[in-house]
Amino acid sequence: MANLLVTGGAGFIGGNFVHYWARTHPNDAIVVLDSLTYAGNRSTIAGVEQAELVVGDICDTDLVEKLLRERRISTLVHFAAESHVDRSITGPDAFIETNILGTHSLLKAARKVWLDSGTGKEHRFHHTSTDEVFGSLGPVEPAFSEATQYKPNSPYSASKAASDHLVRAWHHTFGLSTTTTNCSNNYGPYHYPEKLIPLFILNALSGKPLPIYGDGMNVRDWLYVEDHCRGIEAALFNGKPGETYNIGGGEELPNMAVIERICREVDRAFTEIEGLGERYPDAPAARGRLTSELKTFVKDRQGHDRRYAIDETKAREQLGYMPQYDFEAGLRGTLRWFLENEIWWKPLLQQY
């Protein structure tokens, strides 16, 4: 039996990780530390009996130390972060505080409890990061590897790059047992509706415009969130302390292709699921029209990176990681989850 502390465990990726870990490791105890900002939601982990929610800030080093000691935590999985690029452009301060100072706070607490006053017990500090720290790729450049130079272009990616460097330093300087994963664009259940896929699904259901930045040809690698959780699990069990691993979905697609698939899946759902038109009468598909009619081009985001792509060779060869969901299956499952869980996402639309 292991005791885990999961920061940001009431958010999107962290919440999915809590569900995944509870299902695959039913004898482990999970403590979730989350400040329940706009993207954190109690209902995301409601019903997970193994998970104890502690409402608090990762910048509260004393609280983190207390949890590590009193709950006998041996594994800390760090998801807590400000992650929306648009918000980082309009308000970067929160990203500096949470992503940099918050990670520093966790590292200080982990060092104090596990190393300075620890018993020598095995431990692991796992840091979850992003492929955005590597910057933007040209159309024919090779995919990001773990050796790719960092070139962050947004306040968000710059703050995550800084946190990555802190984790590396705490391993090399102080001997903290760390691993870091840099993931590509996640999607799936419990995704906050400011991001592309959930936003476009919910806008399609309500007949609202589907806002497309620029020409819509920015390319991303799409990773189903359960595959990401599986990759983190592999890093925890098989990863070498101090190493970083890229976790991708193997689905490099331009935004327009993603949007077109969302439109097709929504149209398909209205033909296959009885009563959907009555539930969402404002959707074009409820009136026999195409969801794609809602596509609307808008001014491009400032500093919008053109292309991300992940080379996951190291994770595959050293961790045994392999994504199990292709984009078609993952997107279809995501849409069906949102259709079946209106009670989760509908209250969020009132604050977004």
Side-chain angles (χ1 to χ4, degrees):
M1 177 179 176
N3 297 329
L4 281 74
L5 176 62
V6 180
T7 71
F12 165 47
I13 303 176
N16 274 279
F17 180 81
V18 169
H19 281 275
Y20 176 82
W21 200 269
R23 186 172 69 251
T24 56
H25 303 275
N27 294 322
D28 288 356
I30 305 169
V31 179
V32 172
L33 177 61
D34 200 297
S35 58
L36 298 181
T37 58
Y38 77 96
N41 196 329
R42 291 176 183 271
S43 63
T44 296
I45 55 173
V48 182
E49 294 183 0
Q50 291 160 253
E52 173 195 0
L53 174 62
V54 176
V55 179
D57 194 329
I58 60 172
C59 290
D60 186 345
T61 310
D62 291 340
L63 172 61
V64 178
E65 287 182 17
K66 181 180 179 181
L67 292 174
L68 292 176
R69 283 197 179 95
E70 293 185 354
R71 305 302 198 278
R72 300 180 182 275
I73 301 296
S74 58
T75 302
L76 191 158
V77 187
H78 177 31
F79 294 101
E82 294 285 346
S83 64
H84 191 45
V85 175
D86 287 354
R87 290 178 184 264
S88 81
I89 294 170
T90 58
D93 288 6
F95 290 73
I96 303 302
E97 181 174 354
T98 298
N99 299 353
I100 301 177
L101 299 181
T103 301
H104 181 217
S105 170
L106 295 173
L107 289 166
K108 286 193 297 181
R111 177 192 173 194
K112 185 172 182 179
V113 174
W114 287 337
L115 299 179
D116 294 350
S117 59
T119 61
K121 180 180 180 181
E122 289 189 9
H123 64 271
R124 178 60 60 86
F125 184 111
H126 182 81
H127 176 57
T128 306
S129 190
T130 172
D131 59 359
E132 296 191 39
V133 299
F134 300 119
S136 184
L137 289 170
V140 296
E141 286 186 276
F144 300 133
S145 75
E146 291 79 2
T148 300
Q149 181 180 347
Y150 275 35
K151 294 181 180 178
N153 290 322
S154 71
Y156 161 60
S157 58
S159 68
K160 289 298 289 185
S163 68
D164 292 5
H165 293 319
L166 287 173
V167 173
R168 174 183 171 84
W170 256 246
H171 169 73
H172 285 278
T173 300
F174 303 116
L176 195 68
S177 179
T178 67
T179 44
T180 296
T181 48
N182 295 83
C183 69
S184 56
N185 276 37
N186 280 228
Y187 68 99
Y190 302 106
H191 206 172
Y192 191 77
E194 66 185 356
K195 301 297 180 76
L196 189 153
I197 288 179
L199 174 67
F200 278 45
I201 287 174
L202 299 185
N203 279 14
L205 296 178
S206 59
K208 295 180 180 178
L210 306 180
I212 303 167
Y213 281 130
D215 63 1
M217 297 307 293
N218 299 76
V219 175
R220 300 292 183 263
D221 177 286
W222 292 92
L223 172 64
Y224 190 63
V225 67
E226 185 177 310
D227 280 332
H228 186 192
C229 296
R230 192 175 293 108
I232 293 170
E233 177 186 44
L236 288 172
F237 285 121
N238 304 322
K240 181 180 177 181
E243 290 293 312
T244 65
Y245 302 92
N246 284 351
I247 305 296
E251 296 281 354
E252 188 179 341
L253 297 167
N255 286 347
M256 282 301 299
V258 173
I259 293 162
E260 288 164 1
R261 294 191 190 192
I262 294 172
C263 292
R264 289 200 300 269
E265 287 300 326
V266 171
D267 292 343
R268 183 202 305 269
F270 274 80
T271 65
E272 294 178 350
I273 301 176
E274 186 176 353
L276 211 55
E278 287 73 26
R279 289 173 57 192
Y280 304 105
D282 294 327
R287 304 186 298 275
R289 301 177 68 90
L290 296 176
T291 301
S292 59
E293 295 175 5
L294 298 173
K295 291 191 293 187
T296 305
F297 288 90
V298 300
K299 183 179 179 181
D300 205 358
R301 167 196 289 160
Q302 291 176 287
H304 197 180
D305 288 341
R306 191 63 172 174
R307 173 176 168 248
Y308 304 146
I310 282 282
D311 179 351
E312 62 197 33
T313 302
K314 181 178 178 180
R316 184 170 60 250
E317 293 181 350
Q318 297 186 17
L319 304 181
Y321 167 75
M322 183 70 68
Q324 296 185 6
Y325 289 85
D326 61 23
F327 187 72
E328 181 179 0
L331 179 61
R332 186 167 299 178
T334 300
L335 172 60
R336 296 305 169 101
W337 185 89
F338 274 90
L339 292 174
E340 294 168 2
N341 289 274
E342 185 176 298
I343 193 172
W344 180 85
W345 57 259
K346 200 163 187 178
L348 301 182
L349 300 184
Q350 299 172 2
Q351 64 186 41
Y352 178 63

